[in-house]
Amino acid sequence: MRAFGYTVARDPAEAVRLAATTPGSTFVAGGTDLLNLMRDGAETHDHLVDVNRLDLGGITVGSGALRMGGAARMRQVAEHPGVRREFPMLSEALLASASPQIRTMASIGGNLLQRTRCGYFRDAASPCAKRVPGSGCPAITGQNRGHAILGGSEHCIATHPSDLAVALTALDATVRLLGPGGERAVPIAGFYLLPGSTPDRETAMRPGELITRVDVPRTALAGQSRYLKLRDRATFEFAVVSVAAALRTRGNVVRDVRLAFGGVGTRPWRDTRVEAALRGRPLTPQAIDEAGRILVRDAKPYEGNRFKVELVQRALVSVLGELGGLR
Amino acid sequence: MSGLVGQGVARVDGRAKVTGAARYAADQEVPGVLHGALVMSTIARGEVLEIDRRAALARPGVVAVHTHADMPRLNLPNFPYNRPFIPMQDTRVHHHGQPVAYVVAQTLEQAQEAAGLVKVRYRAEDPVARMADVLDEAFLPDDFRDRPNEYSRGDAAAALGQAAVRVDRTYSSPMQHHNPIEPHTTTAVWEDDGTLILYESTQGVVFARNTVQIAFGMPEGSVRVVSPYLGGGFGAKGPTYPHTLLTAAAARLCGRPVKLVLTRAQMYTSNGHRAEYRHHLRLGATRQGALTAVVSTSTAQVTRVDENVYNGGDSTVRLYACPNVHVRQLGVRLDLPTSSYMRSPETTAHFGLETAMDELSYELGIDPVELRIRNHTEVDQQPDPPVPYADKRLLECYRAAAEAFGWARRSPRPGTTRDGDEYVGWGMATETHTHTVIPSRARLTIGPDGRATLRAATQEIGTGTYTVLTQIVCEGLGMPLDQVTTLLGDTAYPDASLSAGSSTMPSVAAPAAEAAAKARNAVIALAVADPRSPLHGVPAEEVVARDGRLSAGGDRVDTYRAVMTRHGRSVEVTGDKRNSTPGHSFGAVFLEVRIQPRLGRLRVTRVVTAHDLGRVLNHRTARGQVIGGVMWGLGFALMEHTMVDPATARVVNPNLSTYLVPVCADAPSVEALFVDRPEPDAELAGIRGFGETPGTGVPAAIGNAIYHAIGRRLRDVPFTQDKLL
Ligand SMILES: Cc1cc2nc3c(=O)[nH]c(=O)nc-3n(C[C@H](O)[C@H](O)[C@H](O)COP(=O)(O)OP(=O)(O)OC[C@H]3O[C@@H](n4cnc5c(N)ncnc54)[C@H](O)[C@@H]3O)c2cc1C
Ligand code: SF4
């Protein structure tokens, strides 16, 4: 790790100004990902602007939306009674993330911007097109159990590791940003980018922008949601496959459904065709199977992750079955 | 006799450990210490062409950047040095993550930053990283530490051909790493008189001392190694590794003490590992279940520059009665670091044997426990002629564990037990591991204040050595626990056992007990000879020591403290008795898994073990060892897997967030039973090594339970969810 400078910002405007005027700078919140990346040499920064003192920690459940400050802690959001009641999948996704210690330190903004766990990305001595554009992607022919079957390109097949982002993707959240150019809001559907030929670009954020808030519309659907996470040990691990699902039925018929998937896509994965295949139809095992097949229609599996094609469909059956009372 | 031995005495060092008062190797404060950082090779095979140190040397605080060009030439020690070469002696690169430069700086941060600035240019050759690609190049390696890699008795091939029932399967396990929580660390301090002190995290201070003396061509006794506590080792700190030698060399070059702590990532290439392993196993049996043939061919990863096989298949040779056995342990050369002993190394082969036995039980329609009982042997069949075991109580283990588990209620048919959407499977396996005995001495001093101190150059690896030795000394002296201190982990004390190979207690318990008995007798002799003692003139053998008091009935009572205060000097004795022989501990593990096959979800919910380890010295620490063994067995079976990039031979997951080990939420309930046969007449007879036995059967038992649950036989660990779908 290289020596770096460090400044504590007092308010969001100052944070943005400091970041814009200090070359080689970036924000640090809990530091639970950033410092590891810097230690491993996967990222280098000359200066860190600390955003922990900013007044961005609030969590409110208003009539129209849940508002989470960019510096709210994962643990605070997960334990918030309004979130647990009205947005169960959000709370579940957070509680299934990392460990209590990390959740206490880590922020919502940092969580959304954490980097992939691809081992080649985190090994500074390895080629990796996401870290060093143009250096190639050794995962495609190498160790790729943790990698994506959807949304990959010949340049990168890394998954986005955030569980929270999967839930937010299902719930149509909006990310609010403050940058040198002012404030703006980006719908989550457009927030994460596909790798294409620029896997180093992961989000629609512009240089120097700060995540000030994340808003989640409050809907009846969000109240009937679940987050199912499958992994190789009981806890403290990233998803092998996950599903964020919200479902409303009338009788047996699907009135509305939202689905997003983790562990399978190069970004938190949502495919509205899957939802469309279910909406307005009776929720039957056949209907779910069909929806699952649509999800993996364009899947491109590799040697180590072929099983995800099957596993993600089964996860879908499981979570919808549970929400829809099929078992 | 105060009867302390055997009791579940709480750890005497527990408070120091949880409060942070215990000083681990890297906690030693050495004035003027400099910090080291290693620059590791980024290629797996080839040569260093050029090392550009300028950017590193230009950084503030950097004292030196050493390379092969200026490293002193060292002598290559034999085992327990675990490498066929010393790095930085020449330009050759044998594996990725091999030290190629050594940075010394004023602070740790400066050293690490500078290490990142050293630029190394290589001539790289294509490495071979995957065993599967070169299996046809497998060969029979040379003997390692006097142990041949081929063993045969009877005519196994013929017997297999004639067998009524056969099992012919291949089992495999990947590369795994020890992952103790405390990283390897060395602080080297050269004294003015040319001697060297090393504060080292090691499972063997004596081994480390001898290795370093050889490497530096130093006379015996000129190196002192200090290692009072270890944050785990699991074999990774048994042998001595290059970083220790390089740190001592760097400290000599700069004339200042140097401290090095390996990073977690560096621990994946610096301290050995469990080699990737394939095990082709063929069993032949009669219809009644008697084994008639065992043909075992294993293949383990070795390197281009050595061929040491660390995963011996002892149980294949010895565990079950079988007249015809042929074992071959082959190697395949890959461009990876040398492997090593890791957490019960015999587990590697035992997993195959115990799975094959389960498969055989289904072939024959014989209950797996019954099959093992039918093949039970009371003799060690490896020596020729075979030697009867002195006191093997494995049958009692099967019985006790089966009963506590409720095995009799098991429906033998796979896939028939369900609970909601879960399939429930019960499996079992035999547990066994070899233990060694290493000549050891222990010195006991009773001071003028009547307090006793035991000193021995063995280690507290985390298993409770301080506690159990203190118990033994207290019992031998007849003194309460708080009057006795045990000091370990320093070659200033008498040479004693390595904490590996399950050898600590079988090696050190007897010398400690002997020293205690000698010291007790010496103090009693002082008392009965002293006219000021109430015991004056009493025949020594009539004096009983208990709770610090020496009494001969009635008011003829003295105390250690009073006798020693009057004596005014210390009493010092040494024990070196050897009353254990190398051998085996045995046991059985029964466990339950619950599986949701739709999602590939599996939990191990319940484990019952019974072990025969001779005399149990402390029920609490023995139980701790069982729980630890079960957890590591779970890791082996379900998740542990070092991933190597096939093209570059680099480890892809050198960290604890992607190299998975079990966490608390994975822990099942564990009921640990012991066939505990204390033999009061022979003070310390019947002690066996137990460190590595628990857990040896767990991977197979889990696989066997999976088969019982869902009727699918898994032979390739880890059993991840994709294999359960
Ligand atoms: C062992 C381990 C296991 C984990 N398991 C999981 C898991 O199962 N699921 C999961 O979802 N996550 C998991 N994580 C990741 C963890 O959730 C993230 O490390 C954490 O959320 C990052 O938050 P932070 O505040 O510490 O971010 P930091 O490390 O401080 O920052 C991360 C990034 O976000 C940027 N940043 C931070 N705040 C802002 C802001 N307000 N505006 C703009 N940029 C910002 C930083 O510049 C940096 O690039 C795990 C982490 C570890 C170490
Ligand atoms: S998958 Fe992406 S992050 Fe991983 S090595 Fe390839 S390019 Fe790099």
Side-chain angles (χ1 to χ4, degrees):
Chain A
M1 179 146 89
R2 287 200 346 219
F4 57 85
Y6 174 79
T7 320
V8 180
R10 278 163 308 181
D11 59 61
E14 188 191 51
V16 169
R17 186 162 38 73
L18 281 168
T21 53
T22 319
S25 65
T26 196
F27 301 118
V28 64
T32 61
D33 193 28
L34 186 69
L35 293 178
N36 288 333
L37 289 162
M38 291 170 71
R39 275 202 202 102
D40 291 344
E43 286 192 11
T44 44
H45 304 284
D46 298 324
H47 196 93
L48 301 187
V49 177
D50 185 324
V51 300
N52 290 300
R53 307 279 171 78
L54 309 186
D55 185 19
L56 292 178
I59 306 163
T60 55
V61 180
S63 57
L66 158 69
R67 295 187 161 81
M68 303 180 271
R73 302 294 134 173
M74 288 170 74
R75 175 175 161 198
Q76 293 168 335
V77 176
E79 290 177 359
H80 191 278
V83 174
R84 295 173 65 148
R85 195 175 56 243
E86 309 281 337
F87 305 88
M89 76 154 72
L90 274 186
S91 175
E92 288 172 18
L94 286 166
L95 289 175
S97 301
S99 67
Q101 292 89 335
I102 291 174
R103 294 197 295 270
T104 303
M105 291 286 292
S107 66
I108 296 302
N111 184 287
L112 296 185
L113 297 179
Q114 63 177 297
R115 309 298 303 274
T116 182
R117 306 312 282 199
C118 170
Y120 300 99
F121 174 76
R122 289 188 181 245
D123 172 5
S126 167
C128 163
K130 186 187 275 301
R131 188 165 30 74
V132 183
S135 63
C137 173
I140 287 176
T141 50
Q143 296 286 358
N144 48 35
R145 184 171 202 273
H147 290 68
I149 55 173
L150 293 163
S153 72
E154 62 186 289
H155 302 282
C156 182
I157 56 169
T159 48
H160 193 276
S162 165
D163 291 295
L164 173 67
V166 175
L168 293 176
T169 298
L171 296 177
D172 289 313
T174 301
V175 183
R176 305 192 70 91
L177 304 170
L178 176 67
E183 273 190 86
R184 63 186 188 117
V186 181
I188 193 99
F191 185 75
Y192 291 106
L193 308 178
L194 291 175
S197 58
T198 52
D200 52 315
R201 287 207 59 211
E202 283 174 10
T203 71
M205 285 176 70
R206 297 175 191 141
E209 277 185 328
L210 177 75
I211 297 181
T212 52
R213 217 169 77 197
V214 178
D215 296 346
V216 190
R218 185 172 173 182
T219 62
L221 192 59
Q224 292 170 36
S225 61
R226 277 227 48 195
Y227 191 75
L228 171 67
K229 181 169 175 179
L230 302 176
R231 43 185 161 178
D232 287 330
R233 68 179 167 196
T235 182
F236 204 7
E237 199 210 348
F238 295 91
V240 171
V241 160
S242 69
V243 187
L247 177 74
R248 288 236 297 162
T249 52
R250 181 180 290 137
N252 175 32
V253 175
V254 176
R255 279 183 62 190
D256 206 355
V257 62
R258 294 279 188 286
L259 296 167
F261 302 86
V264 290
T266 49
R267 63 180 180 191
W269 199 255
R270 181 155 172 209
D271 183 341
T272 50
R273 294 173 306 177
V274 180
E275 294 164 14
L278 289 163
R279 204 171 286 124
R281 290 185 57 187
L283 187 72
T284 60
Q286 296 83 325
I288 303 175
D289 281 350
E290 268 177 54
R293 280 197 291 277
I294 292 172
L295 171 69
V296 298
R297 196 158 54 192
D298 304 324
K300 190 164 183 328
Y302 298 85
E303 192 181 331
N305 66 8
R306 208 163 297 278
F307 68 97
K308 287 186 180 178
V309 176
E310 178 66 28
L311 187 59
V312 70
Q313 295 181 72
R314 294 197 190 188
L316 178 64
V317 171
S318 174
V319 73
L320 284 182
E322 201 173 312
L323 278 170
L326 283 191
R327 29 171 208 160
Chain B
M1 284 280 168
S2 58
L4 264 175
V5 171
Q7 285 184 26
V9 169
R11 287 175 187 252
V12 297
D13 52 345
R15 193 184 172 82
K17 281 180 171 170
V18 299
T19 57
R23 294 261 148 178
Y24 288 73
D27 299 332
Q28 300 296 335
E29 279 171 32
V30 176
V33 75
L34 298 173
H35 295 266
L38 293 170
V39 179
M40 302 299 233
S41 65
T42 55
I43 63 161
R45 184 182 177 197
E47 220 167 341
V48 172
L49 293 181
E50 193 189 333
I51 298 182
D52 182 349
R53 310 178 301 163
R54 283 169 299 181
L57 282 169
R59 297 298 299 167
V62 174
V63 174
V65 179
H66 300 298
T67 69
H68 60 275
D70 65 340
M71 257 294 153
R73 296 296 167 253
L74 305 173
N75 309 315
L76 178 62
N78 274 329
F79 187 87
Y81 178 70
N82 165 286
R83 284 283 187 275
F85 62 93
I86 298 177
M88 298 180 60
Q89 300 286 295
D90 56 35
T91 56
R92 191 70 210 167
V93 175
H94 301 283
H95 61 83
H96 115 74
Q98 169 187 321
V100 291
Y102 194 115
V103 177
V104 181
Q106 302 286 348
T107 69
L108 177 64
E109 291 74 16
Q110 289 167 339
Q112 289 179 338
E113 179 180 18
L117 296 172
V118 174
K119 285 188 206 64
V120 185
R121 220 157 52 75
Y122 302 96
R123 186 183 54 71
E125 296 159 37
D126 282 339
V128 182
R130 238 189 333 212
M131 215 160 81
D133 297 341
V134 284
L135 273 179
D136 53 344
E137 292 171 17
F139 67 101
L140 189 74
D142 275 348
D143 297 2
F144 175 49
R145 302 184 62 207
D146 299 330
R147 296 185 56 144
N149 284 305
E150 180 155 19
Y151 167 84
S152 179
R153 68 170 176 261
D155 185 344
L160 187 68
Q162 291 154 15
V165 181
R166 277 185 287 265
V167 169
D168 181 341
R169 295 293 183 186
T170 299
Y171 308 90
S172 54
S173 53
M175 183 189 215
Q176 300 172 355
H177 276 83
H178 311 78
N179 273 309
I181 198 69
E182 179 204 27
H184 290 70
T185 177
T186 304
T187 304
V189 186
W190 290 90
E191 304 282 59
D192 293 339
D193 61 1
T195 61
L196 171 66
I197 303 175
L198 285 173
Y199 299 99
E200 172 90 358
S201 180
T202 175
Q203 289 169 239
V205 288
V206 172
F207 262 31
R209 176 198 65 199
N210 296 349
T211 306
V212 173
Q213 281 172 179
I214 291 170
F216 286 82
M218 292 166 70
E220 251 175 63
S222 54
V223 175
R224 175 174 166 212
V225 179
V226 182
S227 185
Y229 292 99
L230 274 91
F234 310 113
K237 297 169 183 170
T240 306
Y241 286 92
H243 68 271
T244 301
L245 307 185
L246 298 177
T247 302
R252 189 153 80 179
L253 285 174
C254 66
R256 294 264 300 271
V258 174
K259 175 193 282 195
L260 178 78
V261 182
L262 292 188
T263 67
R264 180 64 55 182
Q266 287 171 347
M267 288 170 67
Y268 283 78
T269 61
S270 302
N271 324 103
H273 54 268
R274 194 192 302 271
E276 184 184 354
Y277 194 77
R278 275 179 190 239
H279 194 184
H280 181 202
L281 197 54
R282 284 170 290 175
L283 305 183
T286 65
R287 290 247 159 253
Q288 291 69 42
L291 284 171
T292 54
V294 175
V295 180
S296 155
T297 309
S298 62
T299 311
Q301 169 250 320
V302 296
T303 75
R304 230 176 261 283
V305 278
D306 72 350
E307 45 192 74
N308 303 347
V309 173
Y310 293 89
N311 301 323
D314 247 67
S315 63
T316 319
V317 173
R318 294 180 141 121
L319 181 56
Y320 297 114
C322 181
N324 306 295
V325 174
H326 186 196
V327 174
R328 291 194 320 143
Q329 306 183 149
L330 308 183
V332 155
R333 297 191 189 278
L334 299 180
D335 295 294
L336 295 172
T338 300
S339 73
S340 184
Y341 299 113
M342 172 168 153
R343 293 188 220 135
S344 321
E346 291 167 20
T347 307
T348 327
H350 192 61
F351 159 63
L353 178 67
E354 287 300 293
T355 312
M357 286 297 278
D358 201 65
E359 301 204 47
L360 182 63
S361 78
Y362 283 96
E363 284 294 322
L364 293 163
I366 298 176
D367 177 86
V369 184
E370 175 60 24
L371 178 66
R372 286 168 171 85
I373 292 172
R374 288 189 194 176
N375 287 290
H376 179 76
T377 174
E378 292 285 339
V379 297
D380 181 352
Q381 305 158 91
Q382 174 155 38
D384 189 11
V387 180
Y389 286 108
D391 189 30
K392 179 178 174 182
R393 298 178 185 276
L394 176 56
L395 292 177
E396 284 173 53
C397 296
Y398 292 134
R399 218 170 295 134
E403 192 184 317
F405 187 81
W407 186 257
R409 298 197 312 272
R410 175 178 182 263
S411 137
R413 286 234 338 271
T416 52
T417 312
R418 290 194 63 165
D419 182 4
D421 64 348
E422 289 184 327
Y423 286 76
V424 181
W426 289 1
M428 61 80 58
T430 308
E431 301 215 296
T432 181
H433 206 279
T434 314
H435 71 258
T436 47
V437 177
I438 295 173
S440 294
R441 293 187 306 133
R443 185 165 67 233
L444 186 60
T445 312
I446 303 183
D449 58 355
R451 296 181 55 94
T453 307
L454 182 81
R455 292 179 173 83
T458 187
Q459 302 68 221
E460 160 65 33
I461 188 183
T463 47
T465 315
Y466 280 116
T467 308
V468 176
L469 288 177
T470 305
Q471 282 173 269
I472 290 172
V473 170
C474 287
E475 178 165 309
L477 288 174
M479 235 188 228
L481 277 171
D482 61 1
Q483 297 293 306
V484 176
T485 306
T486 298
L487 297 176
L488 306 173
D490 191 334
T491 53
Y493 310 149
D495 283 13
S497 177
L498 185 71
S499 295
S502 304
S503 65
T504 311
M505 275 307 138
S507 305
V508 191
E514 185 199 352
K518 277 189 186 168
R520 179 192 61 214
N521 293 341
V523 175
I524 290 173
L526 287 176
V528 298
D530 182 352
R532 291 166 294 177
S533 170
L535 295 172
H536 181 66
V538 174
E541 59 281 4
E542 284 174 20
V543 178
V544 175
R546 183 187 225 129
D547 280 337
R549 288 148 49 94
L550 308 169
S551 58
D555 56 359
R556 313 204 69 171
V557 177
D558 208 338
T559 65
Y560 273 104
R561 178 163 7 161
V563 176
M564 295 307 295
T565 308
R566 288 192 305 264
H567 185 53
R569 275 169 291 135
S570 294
V571 163
E572 190 166 289
V573 298
T574 300
D576 60 1
K577 193 157 149 196
R578 196 169 164 168
N579 80 343
S580 302
T581 45
H584 303 85
S585 283
F586 300 97
V589 56
F590 289 70
L591 54 80
E592 174 180 284
V593 302
R594 285 170 175 261
I595 303 177
Q596 288 173 283
R598 267 183 329 126
L599 297 176
R601 270 186 171 167
L602 179 152
R603 286 181 302 139
V604 178
T605 42
R606 197 158 69 83
V607 179
V608 177
T609 62
H611 287 103
D612 159 30
L613 58 150
R615 186 177 186 189
V616 179
L617 297 172
N618 180 324
H619 273 269
R620 197 190 298 220
T621 55
R623 182 176 134 76
Q625 196 65 15
V626 172
I627 293 172
V630 166
M631 288 302 276
W632 281 132
L634 218 93
F636 184 115
L638 300 178
M639 54 194 84
E640 288 187 68
H641 184 181
T642 306
M643 296 183 194
V644 176
D645 182 58
T648 60
R650 292 178 64 79
V651 174
V652 178
N653 58 340
N655 54 66
L656 287 171
S657 70
T658 49
Y659 180 99
L660 301 187
V661 299
V663 293
C664 290
D666 293 298
S669 80
V670 179
E671 184 180 349
L673 308 172
F674 298 105
V675 179
D676 179 10
R677 287 293 193 103
E679 297 181 3
D681 335 329
E683 200 161 13
L684 279 156
I687 291 181
R688 285 193 226 133
F690 187 56
E692 294 167 296
T693 302
T696 47
V698 168
I702 291 176
N704 297 344
I706 291 172
Y707 181 74
H708 182 238
I710 59 172
R712 184 178 307 180
R713 180 62 70 180
L714 299 181
R715 303 184 181 89
D716 178 27
V717 293
F719 305 141
T720 42
Q721 40 195 320
D722 41 307
K723 297 174 186 166
L724 296 166
L725 289 178

